[in-house]
Every structure is written in structure tokens, then in C-alpha cells.
Amino acid sequence: MNKYICKTCGVQYESSIDVPEQCLICTEGRQYVSSFGQSWTTLDNMQQSKEFINEILLEANGLYSIATKPNFAIGQTAYLIQTVGFNVLWDCIAYLDKQTIEYIDKLGGIQAVALSHPHYYSTQVEWAEAFDVPIYIHEDDKEWVMRPSDKIIFWSGDSLELHKGIVLHRLGGHFRGGAVLEWKDGNNQQGILLTGDVIRVVADRQWVSFMYSYPNFIPLPASKVQEISSLVKGLKFDRLYDAFHRIIKEDANESVQKSAKRYIEALSGTLFTT
Ligand SMILES: [Zn+2]
Ligand SMILES: [Zn+2]
């Protein structure tokens, strides 16, 4: 029996004798199957290959990024928020080893894991079991959990306070249960928003975008983008981190507002003169 990991999206499946027939995350319209075909690995194989390490970097006071080098699958960055007595792992990456666990233990361990959306579920259950903590996933994305576990808590409604000043908000859009994390005390009390790819920072770091599918370039409707920007407007943050280590360092809420306005103008045709 093995718990197979899809090499394209990094999501781990529940135990099986044979490899799964297909990856349900990758065969869905927001992702893709590699042009080389579907392939699988396991966490044991990844560890034994000694091909990977996790790089943990201090990003800001109490905020660490965690990314696998060289890149694996989607190549996202997870974040560890470190507060007194309560650390949160925001989003997840597939690779986990003893060195990573020891390093994070020195930072105070992990008390909760919270996910933005299914593309980053990766080996979330391995992480939750290693640190013996719950995983918070919005109930609207329940169908995308490929490795069920009693560690998973499906939350409902529009927001959930995980700990004082650390709040999950469901924005939807990219996925129905797509969530962001507002850390009100981060960045010297000015606030940090961690967005996964529910909101993505684009090449011009003063702007963001909102897509139904990023790899397949499928936009969201104007009404949804308007709804997301209205919800974000009420949140307390000056800095924003997405899942690809892109950062808006200041005035990030204004960036989201003006980006939503531009996006809606682009969809309606008023942004262009030709
Ligand atoms: Zn996959
Ligand atoms: Zn995604």
C-alpha cells in the first residue's frame, strides 16, 4: 500500500495498492495533466532520492516562508505565522522531512494548518500528523480532499477566527471555498494578508489578479471580482503575500481595490480604445 502523490499538482491520495487511475485535481478544468502524461511518486521516494530540501526563510517579524528546492509540482510557497503560543501553517507543500520538522519545532512548532484551496492540499495530512494538529478547510471544498483524515475540520460561513487576530475569510472565486488569512498584528500591527492563489500578485508588483484558472487563463466574472474586492476592503492589512513568493510590500489593500476595478473595466471593454 502506498499513498501516491501526483507529480503535477503535488496532492497526496489515500492508501492504495495500485496507483490511482487519474488525478482528480489535474483532470479538472482549472489544472492540467502534464504533457508527459500522469505520473506519481510517494513521500518515501522523495525523501530517499535526497533530491529535495525545504528552504525556510524569515520574511518579516514572525513570518516564515517554506518552499521546496528544486521546485516540485506546482511549486507553491507555504507560510508559517509565529505568534506567542500559536503558530499557523498557511497552505502546504508536498515535501516534508525530519530536518523541516526539527527546524519548525525550534520555531515553536505548528498549532494549526489552514488551507486556501485544493491545489495546495499536497501532503497536508502528513504535516498535521507530524505536529498532531488540526487542518482547517472550508466545507465548500470538501469534495476535493483526496486523503480524508480525522485531523480535517471543515469550517463553514464567511470567516473563522483561528486565534486572536488570525482570521480566515472565504472569498471564493478560484474555488468555491477559496480562503485567505488575515493576520491583523503582522507587519508591526499594520496587518498581513496571505492569499494563496485566491488573489495572485502579478508581474507588476503593485497589482493583483483573480482567476478561475491560472494555468488555463480562465477569468472570473465581474460580479465575483467585485464581491472579492468588497470583502477584502474591510480587512486590516498593508502587506500581501501570494503562493508564489510574490509580495506587495505596502498599501496592498489599495492595490487589490484598484486591480479589481481595472479587471472589471477590462472585462467590460472600457479599458481599451481599440
Ligand atoms: Zn494532480
Ligand atoms: Zn489554485
Side-chain angles (χ1 to χ4, degrees):
M1 298 287 273
N2 280 305
K3 297 182 193 78
Y4 288 100
I5 295 173
C6 169
K7 279 189 173 180
T8 305
C9 70
V11 169
Q12 186 186 48
Y13 282 66
E14 62 185 326
S15 264
S16 61
I17 295 168
D18 299 320
V19 294
E21 257 173 51
Q22 57 182 6
C23 173
L24 297 177
I25 302 279
C26 287
T27 50
E28 196 262 346
R30 280 165 280 201
Q31 248 286 107
Y32 59 93
V33 177
S34 163
S35 53
F36 300 106
Q38 176 67 52
S39 55
W40 303 93
T41 185
T42 64
L43 188 53
D44 279 348
N45 284 344
M46 290 176 75
Q47 289 165 345
Q48 280 159 24
S49 74
K50 302 207 182 300
E51 190 186 337
F52 300 102
I53 57 151
N54 283 339
E55 185 179 75
I56 303 179
L57 300 175
L58 179 65
E59 297 287 334
N61 204 2
L63 184 74
Y64 294 83
S65 61
I66 310 171
T68 300
K69 303 288 171 185
N71 266 2
F72 175 74
I74 295 175
Q76 73 269 21
T77 299
Y79 289 92
L80 181 76
I81 295 176
Q82 182 191 42
T83 67
V84 179
F86 194 85
N87 293 355
V88 182
L89 179 70
W90 170 248
D91 276 332
C92 205
I93 54 175
Y95 189 62
L96 178 63
D97 60 12
K98 204 162 139 276
Q99 288 85 342
T100 305
I101 294 168
E102 284 171 3
Y103 196 100
I104 290 174
D105 274 339
K106 282 187 201 148
L107 300 175
I110 292 171
Q111 280 69 47
V113 180
L115 275 298
S116 64
H117 74 296
H119 290 149
Y120 303 146
Y121 289 176
S122 59
T123 58
Q124 57 184 4
V125 178
E126 301 281 347
W127 287 73
E129 287 181 351
F131 293 94
D132 194 20
V133 293
I135 300 168
Y136 292 88
I137 287 176
H138 197 278
E139 65 172 2
D140 284 356
D141 289 342
K142 201 174 191 172
E143 67 188 289
W144 298 107
V145 171
M146 299 301 151
R147 182 181 168 191
S149 165
D150 57 10
K151 296 280 185 208
I152 300 174
I153 295 172
F154 292 105
W155 62 281
S156 55
D158 292 331
S159 62
L160 175 74
E161 186 167 47
L162 283 182
H163 190 68
K164 193 177 168 295
I166 300 176
V167 189
L168 303 179
H169 299 276
R170 182 182 69 100
L171 301 183
H174 181 45
F175 268 81
R176 206 144 43 96
V180 295
L181 185 150
E182 178 192 26
W183 180 24
K184 296 180 189 191
D185 294 335
N187 188 25
N188 301 316
Q189 320 296 320
Q190 294 186 83
I192 284 176
L193 194 71
L194 302 177
T195 64
D197 55 17
V198 173
I199 300 173
R200 282 275 301 272
V201 180
V202 296
D204 178 345
R205 301 297 205 267
Q206 297 306 308
W207 298 82
V208 300
S209 194
F210 322 82
M211 299 288 268
Y212 179 72
S213 169
Y214 293 90
N216 300 328
F217 303 126
I218 307 172
L220 286 173
S223 57
K224 187 65 215 177
V225 173
Q226 183 58 57
E227 191 187 318
I228 289 174
S229 74
S230 301
L231 288 167
V232 166
K233 197 169 187 177
L235 308 185
K236 187 195 168 197
F237 67 99
D238 191 47
R239 191 174 282 192
L240 183 152
Y241 294 78
D242 77 0
F244 292 87
H245 216 168
R246 288 186 173 182
I247 304 158
I248 297 183
K249 288 191 174 156
E250 53 190 22
D251 300 329
N253 205 331
E254 285 82 54
S255 288
V256 174
Q257 301 307 315
K258 71 179 185 184
S259 300
K261 187 168 172 284
R262 182 176 76 170
Y263 193 104
I264 292 164
E265 285 170 1
L267 288 180
S268 71
T270 58
L271 186 67
F272 307 104
T273 53
T274 55

